[in-house]
């Protein structure tokens, strides 16, 4: 069982996220820290499924046509900073 789960998926559809939630539930200890990456349009889904909120940190993925955001269900000093490569 894990204290922290990071979900950085190659697919971002709602049905796939439901599967990620089910898998995370099998792997997690009680009240795990969860970090997810997905597009801004999934902000409501991240809150609904994982109680995750958007953070300021955004992964830099140069060849991707859309920007991913990072979401977490816990406060994090590292994730509260904007990363310099996107400035």
């Amino acid at each position: 069982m894990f204290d922290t789960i990071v979900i950085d998926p190659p697919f971002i559809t709602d049905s796939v996220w439901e599967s990620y939630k089910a898998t995370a539930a099998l792997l997690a200890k009680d009240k795990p820290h969860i970090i997810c990456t997905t597009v801004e349009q999934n902000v409501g889904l991240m809150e609904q499924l994982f109680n995750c909120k958007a953070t300021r940190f955004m992964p830099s993925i140069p060849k991707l046509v859309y920007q991913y955001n990072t979401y977490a269900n816990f406060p994090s000093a590292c994730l509260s900073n904007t990363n310099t490569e996107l400035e």
Side-chain angles (χ1 to χ4, degrees), residues 44-77:
L45 187 63
M46 294 300 97
E47 185 151 355
Q48 174 190 340
L49 294 177
F50 302 104
N51 196 33
C52 286
K53 308 248 188 268
T55 70
R56 293 186 56 142
F57 181 84
M58 299 170 74
S60 176
I61 310 169
K63 297 190 188 280
L64 199 61
V65 295
Y66 42 85
Q67 177 61 53
Y68 267 42
N69 292 0
T70 303
Y71 301 84
N73 69 343
F74 63 97
S76 166

Side-chain angles (χ1 to χ4, degrees), residues 2 11-12 16 27 29 35 42 45-46 49 55 62 69 73-75 77 80 83 87:
F2 296 93
F11 300 105
I12 56 173
V16 171
L27 296 172
K29 288 185 176 180
I35 302 169
N42 283 344
L45 187 63
M46 294 300 97
L49 294 177
T55 70
N69 292 0
N73 69 343
F74 63 97
S80 296
N83 40 324
E87 294 177 347

